[in-house]
Amino acid sequence: MLNFTVGPVMSSDEVIEVANHSTPYFRTPEFSQIMLENEKMILDMLHAPEKSRCVFLTTSGTGAMESCVMNILSDKDRVIVINGGSFGHRFVELCEVHGRNFTEVKCEFGRQLRKEQLEGLEDHTALLINMHETSSGVLYDMDLVSDFCKKNNIMLIVDAISAFIADELDMEKMGAAAVLTGSQKALAVQPGISLIALSPAALERVEENKEVCMYLSMKQALKNGERGQTPFTPAVTTLLQIHKRLELIVNNGGIAAERKRIASVAKTFRDGISDLPFEFVSESPSNTVTSLHPTGVSAKEIIRILKDEYHIWVCPNGGELADTVFRVGHIGNITDENNQELLDALHDMSKRGLL
Ligand SMILES: *Cc1c(COP(=O)(O)O)cnc(C)c1O
């Protein structure tokens, strides 16, 4: 199967090989060394400010989102939540579950955040945003958000789960207090690990705040992380795969080169479907995914035929959009040939009158 979803995605052979062994024991200096290198490579790639730290949690990306809401924010905060789709909605739900005082800023599906929507919210203390709202494919205007937060001294927490590597992200320049991501998106390894880069400002918050959880505690993760360890048994193999993948990125021209490769896969795909009956859903697409509205037939049916007859996975949308929107991912180990196979399959479907 060719996998053009947004995660889990296809891994490179070198990364797959890492998992082809029994899981090694991890309370060892050798594993600690790997973890310290993982932390350093991630902070370098994000261009995190000096004295930042990165914690690794054995959870899917949502665990990192929840950990931020629990450990960085507190009862005293007034939080802005940008909600333009299902991942924005997830931050809303997390704030509700944890009793945060928040204001929801709703963006229409597929539409960019506008400056006017932030007017009147200058007195808030923190802002939660999914840099790329993966459900709609909108890459938010992070310069707008960053300027607003800097000007009003608002702590910016960025879910970059599907933007990291694929889109440009400079944590220091953005002034983000925390940036989080997960293993199964553009990192392109097995699911199981989420990670959070924390600036000195966020670290201070974590230190001050009362500990309200154990498994997702940043305090515990930070303390153990000082010696390259985790408080509890982590997804060891996924962490080893992350190490391999980060090394490969570093050795192949760095994160900018990898971003360029992903951007090129996305552009080739978008150019290649201009003659097909699809409308682009997002007015500001990221490099990670293309959200499409088929004008002739059901999105569900396209997804099913691609899977059953062409052995290609693309991504469905949930809820009300299941019939009207599907998404094609551009992250993971997608070659030019793979991309062409997908384009050929869609054109063949068109010829067969199935689009
Ligand atoms: C994938 C994703 C998540 C996390 O999803 P999990 O299934 O918990 O890994 C969160 N936010 C965004 C923007 C995502 O793309």
Side-chain angles (χ1 to χ4, degrees):
M1 291 292 288
L2 283 178
N3 184 348
F4 289 86
T5 68
V6 282
V9 296
M10 296 189 286
S11 304
S12 66
D13 290 344
E14 293 98 320
V15 164
I16 293 169
E17 169 57 26
V18 171
N20 198 18
H21 306 273
S22 290
T23 308
Y25 184 62
F26 69 102
R27 299 285 187 207
T28 61
E30 290 77 14
F31 185 72
S32 294
Q33 183 59 31
I34 282 175
M35 287 301 287
L36 292 171
E37 288 173 14
N38 275 348
E39 179 172 14
K40 182 169 183 329
M41 286 191 280
I42 291 282
L43 293 174
D44 282 350
M45 285 183 193
L46 284 170
H47 199 242
E50 221 173 296
K51 297 217 163 64
S52 293
R53 293 282 311 278
C54 179
V55 293
F56 296 83
L57 304 174
T58 295
T59 65
S60 81
T62 306
M65 295 167 77
E66 185 154 25
S67 181
C68 286
V69 171
M70 295 178 91
N71 292 276
I72 302 175
L73 302 180
S74 77
D75 293 347
K76 294 182 202 129
D77 280 302
R78 293 193 62 204
V79 188
I80 301 166
V81 183
I82 309 299
N83 178 6
S86 43
F87 293 103
H89 179 67
R90 194 164 299 178
F91 266 140
V92 169
E93 288 181 308
L94 285 167
C95 284
E96 277 169 357
V97 166
H98 296 290
R100 296 286 172 247
N101 180 352
F102 71 98
T103 306
E104 180 179 2
V105 173
K106 275 209 149 185
C107 293
E108 213 183 306
F109 194 78
R111 298 281 89 83
Q112 182 57 268
L113 175 71
R114 317 253 172 232
K115 200 168 173 205
E116 310 80 78
Q117 292 175 277
L118 298 174
E119 276 168 16
L121 303 176
E122 294 79 3
D123 61 345
H124 284 58
T125 60
L127 187 146
L128 295 172
I129 187 167
N130 321 95
M131 174 166 164
H132 169 227
E133 173 48 79
T134 322
S135 65
S136 68
V138 169
L139 181 69
Y140 286 118
D141 179 349
M142 292 308 292
D143 287 339
L144 168 73
V145 174
S146 160
D147 287 350
F148 174 79
C149 289
K150 282 180 190 163
K151 203 180 283 168
N152 300 296
N153 196 22
I154 291 172
M155 180 163 284
L156 172 59
I157 298 174
V158 180
D159 164 3
I161 295 181
S162 65
F164 177 57
I165 304 177
D167 294 297
E168 201 164 340
L169 202 185
D170 183 318
M171 188 171 165
E172 184 163 35
K173 191 164 143 246
M174 193 183 272
V179 172
L180 52 117
T181 190
S183 56
Q184 83 274 24
K185 302 280 168 83
L187 263 173
V189 310
Q190 286 175 7
I193 293 291
S194 65
L195 56 94
I196 311 163
L198 299 157
S199 75
L203 290 169
E204 206 174 295
R205 280 300 206 90
V206 172
E207 192 51 46
E208 278 167 17
N209 286 341
K210 200 173 108 216
E211 204 161 21
V212 291
C213 55
M214 191 164 111
Y215 190 70
L216 296 179
S217 164
M218 281 186 191
K219 259 185 208 162
Q220 298 213 22
L222 284 163
K223 186 160 170 287
N224 283 265
E226 284 171 13
R227 57 185 174 101
Q229 285 288 324
T230 51
F232 318 107
T233 307
V236 176
T237 303
T238 307
L239 287 164
L240 294 174
Q241 286 190 319
I242 288 176
H243 189 260
K244 172 59 75 183
R245 167 73 164 142
L246 294 175
E247 267 186 347
L248 287 167
I249 292 174
V250 169
N251 295 335
N252 287 305
I255 190 168
E258 180 63 0
R259 181 169 61 244
K260 222 168 127 188
R261 195 191 61 76
I262 296 169
S264 152
V265 169
K267 182 169 187 321
T268 303
F269 175 76
R270 288 168 191 166
D271 290 348
I273 56 165
S274 56
D275 56 335
L276 296 176
F278 299 142
E279 282 170 5
F280 292 99
V281 173
S282 163
E283 68 175 356
S284 59
S286 90
N287 292 322
T288 301
V289 72
T290 303
S291 290
L292 295 169
H293 166 54
T295 50
V297 295
S298 150
K300 251 191 204 157
E301 194 55 10
I302 294 176
I303 294 165
R304 189 192 63 75
I305 295 171
L306 279 174
K307 174 170 69 69
D308 292 345
E309 298 184 28
Y310 297 90
H311 312 292
I312 293 173
W313 278 312
V314 295
C315 234
N317 270 63
E320 292 165 13
L321 299 166
D323 271 322
T324 53
V325 178
F326 73 101
R327 292 168 297 157
V328 175
H330 310 300
I331 53 177
N333 193 42
I334 297 170
T335 63
D336 291 341
E337 294 74 41
N338 297 152
N339 221 11
Q340 194 54 51
E341 280 178 72
L342 172 60
L343 289 169
D344 290 347
L346 288 168
H347 283 91
D348 189 54
M349 281 176 67
S350 170
K351 234 182 267 157
R352 292 168 62 201
L354 298 171
L355 289 184

